[in-house]
Coordinates of all heavy atoms in Angstrom, one line a residue:
M1 N 0.8 -1.2 0.0 CA 0.0 0.0 0.0 C 0.9 1.3 0.0 O 0.6 2.2 -0.7 CB -0.9 0.0 1.2 CG -1.9 1.1 1.3 SD -3.2 0.9 0.1 CE -4.5 1.6 1.0
N2 N 2.0 1.2 0.8 CA 2.8 2.4 0.8 C 3.6 2.6 -0.5 O 3.8 3.7 -0.9 CB 3.8 2.2 2.0 CG 4.6 3.4 2.3 OD1 4.3 4.5 1.8 ND2 5.7 3.3 2.9
Q3 N 3.9 1.5 -1.2 CA 4.7 1.6 -2.4 C 3.9 2.3 -3.5 O 4.4 3.1 -4.3 CB 5.1 0.2 -2.9 CG 6.2 -0.4 -2.0 CD 6.5 -1.8 -2.4 OE1 5.7 -2.4 -3.1 NE2 7.5 -2.3 -1.8
I4 N 2.6 2.0 -3.6 CA 1.7 2.6 -4.6 C 1.5 4.1 -4.3 O 1.5 4.9 -5.2 CB 0.4 1.9 -4.8 CG1 -0.2 2.2 -6.1 CG2 -0.5 2.1 -3.6 CD1 -1.2 1.2 -6.6
S5 N 1.5 4.5 -3.0 CA 1.4 5.9 -2.7 C 2.6 6.7 -3.1 O 2.5 7.8 -3.6 CB 1.2 6.1 -1.2 OG 0.0 5.4 -0.8
V6 N 3.8 6.1 -2.9 CA 5.0 6.7 -3.3 C 5.1 6.8 -4.9 O 5.6 7.8 -5.4 CB 6.2 5.9 -2.8 CG1 7.5 6.5 -3.3 CG2 6.2 6.0 -1.3
L7 N 4.6 5.8 -5.5 CA 4.5 5.8 -7.0 C 3.6 6.9 -7.5 O 4.0 7.7 -8.4 CB 4.1 4.5 -7.6 CG 3.9 4.4 -9.1 CD1 5.2 4.5 -9.8 CD2 3.2 3.1 -9.4
F8 N 2.5 7.1 -6.9 CA 1.6 8.2 -7.2 C 2.2 9.5 -6.9 O 2.0 10.5 -7.7 CB 0.2 8.0 -6.5 CG -0.6 6.9 -7.0 CD1 -1.8 6.5 -6.3 CD2 -0.4 6.2 -8.2 CE1 -2.6 5.5 -6.7 CE2 -1.2 5.2 -8.6 CZ -2.3 4.8 -7.9
L9 N 2.9 9.7 -5.8 CA 3.6 10.9 -5.5 C 4.6 11.2 -6.6 O 4.8 12.4 -7.0 CB 4.2 10.8 -4.1 CG 4.9 12.1 -3.7 CD1 4.0 13.2 -3.6 CD2 5.6 11.8 -2.3
A10 N 5.4 10.2 -7.0 CA 6.3 10.4 -8.1 C 5.7 10.8 -9.4 O 6.2 11.7 -10.1 CB 7.1 9.1 -8.3
C11 N 4.5 10.3 -9.7 CA 3.7 10.8 -10.9 C 3.3 12.2 -10.7 O 3.3 12.9 -11.7 CB 2.5 9.8 -11.1 SG 3.0 8.2 -11.6
I12 N 2.9 12.6 -9.5 CA 2.5 14.0 -9.3 C 3.7 14.9 -9.6 O 3.6 16.0 -10.2 CB 2.0 14.2 -7.9 CG1 0.6 13.5 -7.8 CG2 1.8 15.7 -7.6 CD1 0.1 13.5 -6.4
L13 N 4.9 14.5 -9.1 CA 6.1 15.3 -9.3 C 6.5 15.4 -10.8 O 6.9 16.4 -11.3 CB 7.2 14.8 -8.5 CG 7.1 14.9 -7.0 CD1 8.3 14.2 -6.2 CD2 7.0 16.4 -6.6
A14 N 6.2 14.3 -11.5 CA 6.5 14.3 -12.9 C 5.5 15.2 -13.6 O 5.9 15.9 -14.6 CB 6.3 12.8 -13.5
G15 N 4.3 15.3 -13.1 CA 3.3 16.3 -13.7 C 3.8 17.7 -13.5 O 3.7 18.5 -14.4
F16 N 4.3 18.0 -12.3 CA 4.8 19.3 -12.0 C 6.0 19.6 -12.9 O 6.2 20.7 -13.4 CB 5.3 19.5 -10.6 CG 4.1 19.9 -9.7 CD1 3.7 19.0 -8.7 CD2 3.5 21.1 -9.8 CE1 2.6 19.3 -7.9 CE2 2.4 21.4 -9.0 CZ 2.0 20.5 -8.0
A17 N 6.8 18.6 -13.2 CA 8.0 18.8 -14.1 C 7.5 19.1 -15.5 O 8.1 19.9 -16.2 CB 8.9 17.5 -14.1
L18 N 6.4 18.4 -16.0 CA 5.9 18.8 -17.3 C 5.3 20.2 -17.4 O 5.5 20.9 -18.4 CB 4.9 17.7 -17.7 CG 5.3 16.4 -18.2 CD1 4.1 15.5 -18.4 CD2 6.1 16.5 -19.4
V19 N 4.7 20.6 -16.3 CA 4.1 21.9 -16.3 C 5.2 23.0 -16.3 O 5.0 24.0 -17.0 CB 3.1 22.1 -15.1 CG1 2.7 23.5 -14.9 CG2 1.9 21.2 -15.3
H20 N 6.2 22.8 -15.6 CA 7.3 23.8 -15.4 C 8.5 23.5 -16.4 O 9.5 24.1 -16.2 CB 7.8 23.8 -14.0 CG 6.7 24.3 -13.0 ND1 6.2 25.6 -13.1 CD2 6.1 23.7 -12.0 CE1 5.3 25.7 -12.1 NE2 5.2 24.5 -11.5
M21 N 8.3 22.7 -17.4 CA 9.4 22.5 -18.3 C 9.7 23.7 -19.2 O 8.7 24.3 -19.7 CB 8.9 21.3 -19.2 CG 10.0 20.8 -20.2 SD 9.6 19.4 -21.1 CE 8.3 20.1 -22.2
P22 N 10.9 24.0 -19.3 CA 11.3 25.2 -20.1 C 11.0 24.9 -21.6 O 11.2 23.7 -22.0 CB 12.8 25.4 -19.8 CG 13.3 24.1 -19.4 CD 12.1 23.4 -18.7
T23 N 10.6 25.9 -22.3 CA 10.4 25.7 -23.8 C 11.7 25.7 -24.5 O 12.4 26.7 -24.5 CB 9.4 26.7 -24.3 OG1 9.9 28.0 -24.0 CG2 8.0 26.6 -23.7
V24 N 12.0 24.6 -25.2 CA 13.1 24.5 -26.1 C 12.7 24.8 -27.5 O 11.5 24.5 -27.8 CB 13.8 23.1 -25.9 CG1 15.1 23.0 -26.7 CG2 14.0 22.8 -24.4
S25 N 13.6 25.2 -28.3 CA 13.1 25.6 -29.7 C 12.4 24.5 -30.4 O 11.4 24.8 -31.1 CB 14.4 26.1 -30.5 OG 15.3 25.0 -30.6
F26 N 12.9 23.3 -30.4 CA 12.2 22.2 -31.1 C 11.0 21.7 -30.5 O 10.2 20.9 -31.1 CB 13.2 21.1 -31.5 CG 13.8 20.4 -30.3 CD1 13.1 19.3 -29.8 CD2 14.9 20.8 -29.7 CE1 13.7 18.6 -28.7 CE2 15.5 20.2 -28.6 CZ 14.8 19.1 -28.1
L27 N 10.7 22.0 -29.2 CA 9.5 21.6 -28.5 C 8.6 22.7 -28.2 O 7.6 22.5 -27.4 CB 9.9 20.9 -27.1 CG 10.7 19.6 -27.2 CD1 11.0 19.1 -25.8 CD2 9.8 18.5 -27.9
A28 N 8.8 23.9 -28.7 CA 8.0 25.0 -28.4 C 6.6 24.8 -28.9 O 5.6 25.3 -28.2 CB 8.6 26.3 -29.1
G29 N 6.3 24.1 -29.9 CA 5.0 23.9 -30.4 C 4.2 22.9 -29.5 O 3.0 23.0 -29.5
L30 N 4.9 22.1 -28.8 CA 4.2 21.2 -27.9 C 4.1 21.6 -26.5 O 3.7 20.9 -25.6 CB 5.0 19.8 -27.9 CG 5.0 19.1 -29.3 CD1 5.9 17.9 -29.2 CD2 3.7 18.7 -29.7
A31 N 4.5 22.9 -26.2 CA 4.5 23.4 -24.8 C 3.1 23.3 -24.2 O 2.9 22.9 -23.0 CB 5.1 24.8 -24.8
S32 N 2.1 23.7 -24.9 CA 0.7 23.7 -24.4 C 0.2 22.3 -24.1 O -0.5 22.0 -23.2 CB -0.2 24.5 -25.3 OG -0.3 23.8 -26.5
F33 N 0.6 21.4 -25.0 CA 0.3 20.0 -24.8 C 0.9 19.4 -23.5 O 0.2 18.7 -22.8 CB 0.8 19.2 -26.0 CG 0.6 17.7 -25.9 CD1 -0.7 17.1 -26.0 CD2 1.7 16.8 -25.7 CE1 -0.9 15.8 -25.9 CE2 1.5 15.5 -25.5 CZ 0.2 14.9 -25.6
F34 N 2.2 19.8 -23.3 CA 2.8 19.3 -22.0 C 2.2 19.9 -20.8 O 2.1 19.3 -19.8 CB 4.3 19.6 -22.1 CG 5.1 18.8 -23.0 CD1 6.1 19.3 -23.8 CD2 4.8 17.4 -23.1 CE1 6.8 18.5 -24.7 CE2 5.6 16.6 -24.0 CZ 6.5 17.2 -24.8
H35 N 1.7 21.1 -20.9 CA 1.0 21.8 -19.8 C -0.3 21.0 -19.5 O -0.6 20.8 -18.3 CB 0.7 23.3 -20.1 CG 1.9 24.1 -20.0 ND1 2.3 24.7 -18.8 CD2 2.8 24.5 -20.9 CE1 3.4 25.4 -19.0 NE2 3.7 25.3 -20.3
V36 N -1.0 20.7 -20.5 CA -2.3 20.0 -20.3 C -2.1 18.6 -19.7 O -2.7 18.2 -18.7 CB -3.1 19.9 -21.6 CG1 -4.3 19.0 -21.5 CG2 -3.5 21.3 -22.1
I37 N -1.1 17.9 -20.3 CA -0.8 16.5 -19.8 C -0.3 16.6 -18.3 O -0.7 15.8 -17.5 CB 0.2 15.8 -20.7 CG1 -0.4 15.6 -22.1 CG2 0.7 14.5 -20.1 CD1 -1.6 14.7 -22.1
G38 N 0.6 17.5 -18.0 CA 1.1 17.7 -16.7 C 0.0 18.0 -15.7 O -0.1 17.5 -14.6
A39 N -0.9 18.9 -16.1 CA -2.0 19.3 -15.2 C -3.0 18.1 -14.9 O -3.4 17.9 -13.8 CB -2.8 20.5 -15.7
L40 N -3.2 17.3 -16.0 CA -4.1 16.2 -15.8 C -3.4 15.1 -14.9 O -4.1 14.5 -14.1 CB -4.4 15.5 -17.2 CG -5.4 16.3 -18.0 CD1 -5.6 15.6 -19.4 CD2 -6.8 16.3 -17.3
A41 N -2.1 14.9 -15.1 CA -1.4 14.0 -14.2 C -1.5 14.4 -12.8 O -1.7 13.6 -11.9 CB 0.1 13.8 -14.7
I42 N -1.3 15.7 -12.5 CA -1.3 16.2 -11.1 C -2.7 15.9 -10.6 O -2.9 15.5 -9.4 CB -1.0 17.7 -11.1 CG1 0.5 17.9 -11.5 CG2 -1.3 18.3 -9.7 CD1 0.9 19.3 -11.7
L43 N -3.8 16.3 -11.3 CA -5.1 16.1 -10.8 C -5.5 14.6 -10.6 O -6.0 14.3 -9.5 CB -6.1 16.7 -11.8 CG -6.2 18.2 -11.8 CD1 -7.1 18.7 -12.9 CD2 -6.7 18.7 -10.5
V44 N -5.2 13.8 -11.5 CA -5.6 12.4 -11.4 C -4.9 11.7 -10.3 O -5.5 11.0 -9.5 CB -5.3 11.6 -12.8 CG1 -5.4 10.1 -12.6 CG2 -6.3 12.1 -13.8
F45 N -3.6 11.9 -10.2 CA -2.8 11.2 -9.1 C -3.0 11.8 -7.8 O -2.9 11.1 -6.7 CB -1.4 11.1 -9.5 CG -1.1 10.1 -10.7 CD1 -0.8 10.6 -11.9 CD2 -1.3 8.8 -10.5 CE1 -0.6 9.7 -12.9 CE2 -1.1 7.9 -11.5 CZ -0.8 8.4 -12.8
S46 N -3.4 13.1 -7.7 CA -3.7 13.7 -6.4 C -5.0 13.1 -5.9 O -5.2 12.8 -4.7 CB -3.8 15.2 -6.5 OG -2.6 15.8 -6.9
I47 N -6.0 12.9 -6.8 CA -7.3 12.3 -6.4 C -7.1 10.9 -6.0 O -7.7 10.4 -5.0 CB -8.3 12.5 -7.6 CG1 -8.7 14.0 -7.7 CG2 -9.5 11.6 -7.3 CD1 -9.5 14.3 -8.9
A48 N -6.2 10.2 -6.7 CA -5.9 8.8 -6.3 C -5.3 8.7 -4.9 O -5.7 7.8 -4.2 CB -5.0 8.1 -7.4
I49 N -4.4 9.6 -4.6 CA -3.8 9.5 -3.3 C -4.8 9.9 -2.2 O -4.8 9.3 -1.1 CB -2.5 10.5 -3.2 CG1 -1.4 9.8 -3.9 CG2 -2.1 10.8 -1.8 CD1 -0.1 10.7 -4.0
L50 N -5.7 10.9 -2.5 CA -6.7 11.2 -1.6 C -7.7 10.0 -1.3 O -8.1 9.7 -0.2 CB -7.5 12.4 -2.0 CG -6.8 13.8 -1.9 CD1 -7.6 14.8 -2.6 CD2 -6.6 14.1 -0.4
Y51 N -8.0 9.3 -2.4 CA -8.9 8.1 -2.3 C -8.2 7.1 -1.4 O -8.9 6.5 -0.6 CB -9.2 7.6 -3.7 CG -9.9 6.3 -3.6 CD1 -11.2 6.2 -3.3 CD2 -9.2 5.1 -4.0 CE1 -11.8 4.9 -3.2 CE2 -9.8 3.9 -3.9 CZ -11.2 3.8 -3.5 OH -11.8 2.6 -3.5
L52 N -6.9 6.8 -1.6 CA -6.2 5.8 -0.8 C -6.2 6.2 0.6 O -6.3 5.4 1.5 CB -4.8 5.6 -1.4 CG -4.7 4.8 -2.7 CD1 -3.2 4.8 -3.1 CD2 -5.2 3.4 -2.5
G53 N -6.0 7.5 0.9 CA -5.9 8.0 2.3 C -7.3 7.9 3.0 O -7.4 7.4 4.1
V54 N -8.4 8.2 2.3 CA -9.7 8.1 2.9 C -10.1 6.6 3.1 O -10.6 6.3 4.1 CB -10.7 8.8 2.0 CG1 -12.1 8.5 2.4 CG2 -10.5 10.3 2.0
K55 N -9.7 5.8 2.1 CA -10.0 4.4 2.2 C -9.2 3.8 3.4 O -9.8 3.0 4.2 CB -9.6 3.7 1.0 CG -10.1 2.2 0.9 CD -9.8 1.6 -0.4 CE -8.4 1.1 -0.5 NZ -8.2 0.2 -1.7
A56 N -8.0 4.2 3.6 CA -7.2 3.7 4.7 C -7.7 4.2 6.0 O -7.7 3.5 7.1 CB -5.7 4.1 4.5
L57 N -8.2 5.4 6.0 CA -8.8 6.0 7.3 C -10.0 5.3 7.7 O -10.2 5.0 8.9 CB -9.1 7.5 7.0 CG -9.7 8.3 8.2 CD1 -8.6 8.4 9.3 CD2 -10.2 9.6 7.7
F58 N -10.9 4.9 6.8 CA -12.1 4.3 7.2 C -12.0 2.8 7.4 O -13.0 2.2 7.9 CB -13.3 4.7 6.2 CG -13.7 6.1 6.4 CD1 -13.7 7.0 5.3 CD2 -14.2 6.6 7.6 CE1 -14.1 8.3 5.4 CE2 -14.6 7.9 7.7 CZ -14.5 8.7 6.7
T59 N -11.0 2.1 6.9 CA -10.9 0.7 7.1 C -10.2 0.4 8.4 O -10.2 -0.7 8.9 CB -10.0 0.0 6.0 OG1 -8.8 0.7 5.9 CG2 -10.8 0.1 4.6
K60 N -9.7 1.4 9.1 CA -9.1 1.1 10.4 C -10.1 0.9 11.5 O -9.9 0.3 12.5 CB -8.2 2.3 10.8 CG -7.0 2.6 9.9 CD -5.8 1.9 10.5 CE -4.7 2.2 9.6 NZ -3.5 1.6 10.0
F61 N -11.3 1.5 11.3 CA -12.4 1.4 12.3 C -13.2 0.2 12.2 O -13.5 -0.4 11.3 CB -13.3 2.7 12.3 CG -12.6 3.9 12.6 CD1 -12.4 4.9 11.6 CD2 -12.1 4.2 13.8 CE1 -11.8 6.1 11.9 CE2 -11.4 5.3 14.1 CZ -11.2 6.3 13.2

């Protein structure tokens, strides 16, 4: 359970890396695409971590 949470956290950090990636001349056309993909990765994996946390909280009782 802990390993998957760390994996999801790494995916969130990768999303932040895509959002804050500097535009290089040959990738300048894809910059908006990387922003969208990065934002979606941050949202999806943040929700997944929240789900795992809530599930772990309520299965203890």
